[in-house]
Amino acid sequence: MDIFIKAVQLILSLSILVILHEFGHFFFARLFKIRVEKFYLFFDPWFSLFKFKKGETEYGVGWLPLGGYVKISGMIDESMDKEAMAQPAQPWEFRSKPAWQRLLVMVGGVVVNFITALFIFWMILFKWGESYIPVETAKYGLYYHEIGHEIGLQDGDIVLKVDDFDVESSSDIARLILIEKGKILTVKRGEEIISVSIPESYDQTFLRNEVKDFAGIRTPVVVAEVVKNSNASEAGLLIGDSIVSINDKSTAFFNEFTEEMQNQKSNDIDLGIYRNGQPMTIHAQVTENGTLGFDASGATGYAEIKMHKYGLWEAFPIGVKMGFDTLINYIKQMRLIFTKEGAKQVGGFGAMGKLFPANWSWLIFWSNTALISVILAFMNILPIPALDGGHVLFLLYEIVTGRKPGDKFMEYAQVTGMILLLGLLLFANGNDIFKLFSK
């Protein structure tokens, strides 16, 4: 069921973005009176799942969920319709239009994808606002991944700066180390301020260990709600109980507790708890997922939670900034793909599916959709034949030189680009399959 919910979210997200991307091409093509023969979600080799024709355009849904396309008359694209290209150019065809109009048709998809991302960020801020926990307010400090311990960080430390960048929330630390290539951490340990050096190639250590959460807020394990008929309920856990140990092993903080629970899947355990200030031990059965069936109180009472609510127009400039920041950060981290460990982390649909949670959350759904929209915009504008960016590159060459690349050259470039993209697709999804079976 978890996989199904993730898959539905991924397919819905990609379908929205693909339709909007192709609409960008469609809009400018029709604006300049260029005939659009097909508008498809997903690809339709041999047959389609659904189609209808309105005017000159056939609309449909293909069976191969690898994107979508619009077939524009008089354009060398993935259809490789050589017969049509051998005929004399017609006024309604792409190749008959001025270069600047053809350029707008080609960038239309990328522009719509990026505008979509900005719009979603704007609406997220208007609907849900922003919230984060300033690290300096964390009563018990932060906890760190084991690779953080390897460079000298201790649970309870608070990272205040990465080089000269101030750390606001715990999520900033990994971002500043990876994207801004941070070298020195300024750390508050008790009442002392110390420096922790970041080794060379630490980004490769991040990637090799597939670190998802480098740092987080440390909070005690205090029961806020007990699920009815759960193992926690049967064990006698009550709201307000503070769990401090599992089988006499100290688990005073939530990160320690969840880690040890994963080691105790399906086992009987002794929970050391404090109830109304009195220590006691209760017996419990851990589920096969490593849970008991209760919600903890989170950071409430142990850190200051900053919440910003925005009006409709107040959220607009902040949403735009969020969109541009997302794009810039993505471009900066692209360098990691060209490293040994980075190449191993390149993923396909499986990796994208992991972005979405097993429980439906509209906030997370739209946040991930905005992120993927930014990624699609950037990837499509890369100067690779068969992508929008490849066509843009050749059009810019034509505008600058006044000479149009020959049809044969465009055919060869299109085939080369398609082979390159197919290879990348196989490599990325092959990585997903390899990881699945290696685990």
Side-chain angles (χ1 to χ4, degrees), residues 149-265:
H149 297 157
E150 289 172 4
I151 64 172
L153 288 172
Q154 299 177 8
D155 288 348
D157 288 349
I158 298 177
V159 177
L160 302 175
K161 285 178 176 287
V162 179
D163 291 343
D164 292 327
F165 297 97
D166 291 326
V167 172
E168 287 288 331
S169 69
S170 58
S171 61
D172 290 340
I173 302 170
R175 177 179 60 82
L176 293 170
I177 291 173
L178 286 173
I179 297 176
E180 303 298 342
K181 304 179 186 179
K183 297 299 180 186
I184 299 292
L185 305 179
T186 301
V187 177
K188 181 181 179 183
R189 180 173 295 167
E191 299 301 318
E192 186 181 5
I193 302 295
I194 65 171
S195 294
V196 174
S197 297
I198 301 172
E200 283 293 326
S201 302
Y202 196 55
D203 53 3
Q204 298 301 290
T205 304
F206 256 86
L207 296 173
R208 184 165 52 252
N209 287 275
E210 298 185 19
V211 177
K212 298 295 186 293
D213 297 304
F214 178 74
I217 304 295
R218 276 213 308 180
T219 60
V221 190
V222 179
V223 178
E225 183 178 351
V226 178
V227 178
K228 189 177 180 180
N229 298 324
S230 65
N231 290 13
S233 175
E234 291 179 6
L237 269 180
L238 300 178
I239 294 173
D241 286 350
S242 180
I243 301 173
V244 295
S245 69
I246 298 175
N247 295 338
D248 294 326
K249 180 178 180 179
S250 176
T251 57
F253 296 100
F254 195 74
N255 62 297
E256 299 169 344
F257 175 78
T258 53
E259 182 180 345
E260 183 58 25
M261 287 290 286
Q262 291 302 302
N263 297 330
Q264 299 293 339
K265 291 180 179 179

Side-chain angles (χ1 to χ4, degrees), residues 5-307:
I5 294 173
K6 289 185 176 187
V8 168
Q9 291 180 85
L10 176 62
I11 293 169
L12 177 60
S13 176
L14 288 178
S15 297
I16 292 169
L17 297 179
V18 167
I19 289 172
L20 289 172
H21 178 92
E22 299 307 332
F23 175 76
H25 297 306
F26 178 88
F27 172 80
F28 282 104
R30 299 305 298 133
L31 180 67
F32 301 129
K33 295 180 170 53
I34 301 170
R35 183 174 295 173
V36 179
E37 299 173 21
K38 286 187 172 185
F39 188 131
Y40 262 71
L41 171 65
F42 306 149
F43 292 104
D44 61 327
W46 305 297
F47 69 93
S48 58
L49 298 177
F50 168 78
K51 64 181 178 180
F52 68 93
K53 192 163 186 176
K54 184 175 181 182
E56 300 167 336
T57 306
E58 177 182 297
Y59 301 87
V61 177
W63 62 270
L64 188 60
L66 296 178
Y69 71 98
V70 287
K71 180 170 171 42
I72 298 174
S73 295
M75 175 182 168
I76 296 177
D77 57 13
E78 55 271 5
S79 68
M80 299 302 291
D81 192 349
K82 298 179 184 179
E83 185 178 333
M85 295 301 294
Q87 303 299 317
Q90 300 298 319
W92 62 79
E93 290 188 330
F94 178 82
R95 54 182 167 162
S96 299
K97 301 300 179 178
W100 68 270
Q101 291 185 4
R102 285 180 278 134
L103 181 64
L104 287 176
V105 171
M106 293 318 305
V107 300
V110 168
V111 169
V112 168
N113 269 144
F114 191 61
I115 290 175
T116 297
L118 299 183
F119 178 78
I120 293 174
F121 282 129
W122 174 22
M123 291 297 102
I124 286 173
L125 289 167
F126 172 59
K127 170 68 176 176
W128 288 285
E130 280 185 298
S131 64
Y132 70 97
I133 299 174
V135 293
E136 289 184 314
T137 69
K139 182 177 180 180
Y140 298 102
L142 310 183
Y143 66 88
Y144 300 91
H145 191 278
E146 61 184 23
I147 70 165
H149 297 157
E150 289 172 4
I151 64 172
L153 288 172
Q154 299 177 8
D155 288 348
D157 288 349
I158 298 177
V159 177
L160 302 175
K161 285 178 176 287
V162 179
D163 291 343
D164 292 327
F165 297 97
D166 291 326
V167 172
E168 287 288 331
S169 69
S170 58
S171 61
D172 290 340
I173 302 170
R175 177 179 60 82
L176 293 170
I177 291 173
L178 286 173
I179 297 176
E180 303 298 342
K181 304 179 186 179
K183 297 299 180 186
I184 299 292
L185 305 179
T186 301
V187 177
K188 181 181 179 183
R189 180 173 295 167
E191 299 301 318
E192 186 181 5
I193 302 295
I194 65 171
S195 294
V196 174
S197 297
I198 301 172
E200 283 293 326
S201 302
Y202 196 55
D203 53 3
Q204 298 301 290
T205 304
F206 256 86
L207 296 173
R208 184 165 52 252
N209 287 275
E210 298 185 19
V211 177
K212 298 295 186 293
D213 297 304
F214 178 74
I217 304 295
R218 276 213 308 180
T219 60
V221 190
V222 179
V223 178
E225 183 178 351
V226 178
V227 178
K228 189 177 180 180
N229 298 324
S230 65
N231 290 13
S233 175
E234 291 179 6
L237 269 180
L238 300 178
I239 294 173
D241 286 350
S242 180
I243 301 173
V244 295
S245 69
I246 298 175
N247 295 338
D248 294 326
K249 180 178 180 179
S250 176
T251 57
F253 296 100
F254 195 74
N255 62 297
E256 299 169 344
F257 175 78
T258 53
E259 182 180 345
E260 183 58 25
M261 287 290 286
Q262 291 302 302
N263 297 330
Q264 299 293 339
K265 291 180 179 179
S266 302
N267 291 343
D268 290 319
I269 59 173
D270 289 331
L271 287 177
I273 70 171
Y274 274 84
R275 179 176 294 168
N276 299 322
Q278 298 299 315
M280 59 185 297
T281 300
I282 63 175
H283 305 288
Q285 169 72 37
V286 182
T287 69
E288 61 182 11
N289 296 322
T291 62
L292 290 174
F294 72 90
D295 291 328
S297 58
T300 306
Y302 309 111
E304 175 188 343
I305 300 176
K306 283 198 173 181
M307 182 73 188

